[in-house]
Short mmCIF file of all heavy atoms in Angstrom, two decimals:
data_model
loop_
_atom_site.label_atom_id
_atom_site.label_comp_id
_atom_site.label_asym_id
_atom_site.label_seq_id
_atom_site.Cartn_x
_atom_site.Cartn_y
_atom_site.Cartn_z
N PHE W 950 -26.86 -9.68 74.85
CA PHE W 950 -26.85 -8.75 73.71
C PHE W 950 -25.51 -8.80 72.98
O PHE W 950 -25.43 -8.92 71.75
CB PHE W 950 -27.17 -7.34 74.22
CG PHE W 950 -27.02 -6.28 73.18
CD1 PHE W 950 -27.92 -6.21 72.11
CD2 PHE W 950 -25.99 -5.36 73.24
CE1 PHE W 950 -27.78 -5.24 71.16
CE2 PHE W 950 -25.85 -4.38 72.29
CZ PHE W 950 -26.75 -4.33 71.23
N ASN W 1141 5.89 -2.92 -73.56
CA ASN W 1141 5.74 -4.28 -74.09
C ASN W 1141 4.92 -5.15 -73.16
O ASN W 1141 5.04 -6.36 -73.16
CB ASN W 1141 7.11 -4.96 -74.36
CG ASN W 1141 7.82 -4.30 -75.52
OD1 ASN W 1141 7.18 -3.85 -76.47
ND2 ASN W 1141 9.13 -4.21 -75.42
N VAL W 1148 -3.77 -3.25 -77.02
CA VAL W 1148 -4.03 -2.10 -77.90
C VAL W 1148 -3.59 -2.43 -79.32
O VAL W 1148 -4.29 -2.11 -80.30
CB VAL W 1148 -3.31 -0.85 -77.36
CG1 VAL W 1148 -3.33 0.28 -78.38
CG2 VAL W 1148 -3.97 -0.39 -76.06
#
Side-chain angles (χ1 to χ4, degrees):
Chain W
F950 173 69
N1141 291 326
V1148 169

